[in-house]
Amino acid sequence: MLLAIDCGNTNTVFSIWDGTRFLCTLRTSTHHARTADAYFTWFSTLVKHYGIEANITDVIISSTVPRVVFNLRVFADRFFNCRPLVVGRPECLLPQQPRVDQGTQVGPDRLVNAAGAYDRHGGNLIVVDFGTATTFDVVGVDGAYVGGVIAPGVNLSLEALHMAAAALPHVDIAKPQRVVGTNTVACMQSGVFWGYVGLVKEICARIKGERDSAMLVIATGGLAPLFQQAEDLFDRFEEDLTMHGLTVIYQYNKENG
């Protein structure tokens, strides 16, 4: 079985893949000081709770937090007796090399999303990922990552607004009933919600215009379903896109490594 690990700035997700489907997906907060032993205690407790017989033979890791990778590698080596594949490292092969400026390091999560989206939908895509940052990844007709856009994440914007303006409270993101708010919370929610709807529409429209092509827009990340309520911003929503991309890259390495 394959253990796919996606480590983001906020959360780290573990999914067990049996070759045909994900048996379970577990989520914990990202913390660079968490040891391999702590990961295993948490992981094994939850796997036992769900009653899953997890015979892990392989591990693949995508991490946007470099300091976390060492302990995750120790975790894989010590408890599953395997050397993990780490996306972005030279030994981890990609189905298609990114076409970006020389010397540019592309975030592993973006490479993984490109691989997963291409495997499911073919090329000529825009992948919008609502994470700590809101990213737009452009996937070429051959499946290569060819560039994108990075904007502040939704929750990051709300937190910055709360921290910088003493009179403004911390609020949760939600779709407001009306655009014009009649109280502070409603005003903030409207600004963030409709502001990001506009951001997504404008950036996707400009990407399509620049490439002079009709492109499929794929959304992923926890807040994507919320923004889909506004109007048809996306053609598809893929909840497990990143994890699927990890299985695609793992399989490619198994066949070509």
Side-chain angles (χ1 to χ4, degrees):
M1 289 184 182
L2 172 69
L3 176 60
I5 304 175
D6 172 39
C7 178
N9 290 292
T10 304
N11 293 313
T12 301
V13 181
F14 293 65
S15 286
I16 301 172
W17 173 258
D18 70 356
T20 58
R21 64 189 180 96
F22 290 111
L23 299 181
C24 73
T25 296
L26 312 173
R27 186 180 300 268
T28 186
S29 59
T30 299
H31 197 306
H32 72 273
R34 182 172 286 125
T35 65
D37 291 348
Y39 277 119
F40 184 72
T41 300
W42 168 82
F43 177 79
S44 59
T45 300
L46 283 180
V47 167
K48 184 178 180 180
H49 171 76
Y50 286 113
I52 296 171
E53 294 293 333
N55 181 26
I56 305 299
T57 57
D58 297 279
V59 178
I60 184 168
I61 301 168
S62 168
S63 177
T64 58
V65 186
R67 290 190 295 173
V68 173
V69 174
F70 174 78
N71 283 329
L72 287 174
R73 295 184 73 156
V74 174
F75 164 72
D77 179 64
R78 180 178 298 168
F79 296 106
F80 305 120
N81 194 31
C82 70
R83 180 181 178 87
L85 276 172
V86 180
V87 179
R89 298 289 174 88
E91 63 272 17
C92 183
L93 306 176
L94 297 173
Q96 291 289 345
Q97 289 299 312
R99 292 195 293 274
V100 294
D101 294 343
Q102 187 173 1
T104 299
Q105 285 193 328
V106 181
D109 55 330
R110 309 182 81 178
L111 298 173
V112 170
N113 283 346
Y118 179 73
D119 182 69
R120 283 180 169 170
H121 303 287
N124 208 27
L125 310 171
I126 302 171
V127 180
V128 186
D129 189 350
F130 290 88
T132 304
T134 300
T135 58
F136 299 75
D137 301 322
V138 180
V139 183
V141 292
D142 61 348
Y145 173 87
V146 297
V149 177
I150 301 174
V154 178
N155 287 318
L156 191 63
S157 295
L158 273 171
E159 189 64 27
L161 192 60
H162 167 62
M163 294 294 292
L168 296 180
H170 176 80
V171 300
D172 293 325
I173 182 64
K175 181 184 178 182
Q177 294 182 343
R178 293 178 294 274
V179 175
V180 179
T182 54
N183 58 69
T184 302
V185 170
C187 289
M188 293 174 66
Q189 288 177 332
S190 183
V192 171
F193 183 85
W194 293 112
Y196 270 85
V197 168
L199 180 143
V200 171
K201 289 181 65 176
E202 183 68 12
I203 288 179
C204 287
R206 287 185 175 272
I207 290 172
K208 293 175 183 178
E210 188 170 278
R211 295 181 65 82
D212 193 23
S213 174
M215 305 174 73
L216 202 68
V217 180
I218 312 298
T220 191
L223 289 176
L226 172 67
F227 284 95
Q228 185 70 347
Q229 295 177 26
E231 48 194 280
D232 294 330
L233 285 180
F234 320 116
D235 298 302
R236 302 284 191 280
F237 166 60
E238 303 279 355
E239 183 179 12
D240 64 344
L241 182 64
T242 304
M243 287 304 174
H244 177 67
L246 283 170
T247 68
V248 170
I249 293 175
Y250 163 76
Q251 192 62 39
Y252 183 80
N253 279 265
K254 191 173 182 180
E255 295 173 357
N256 298 277

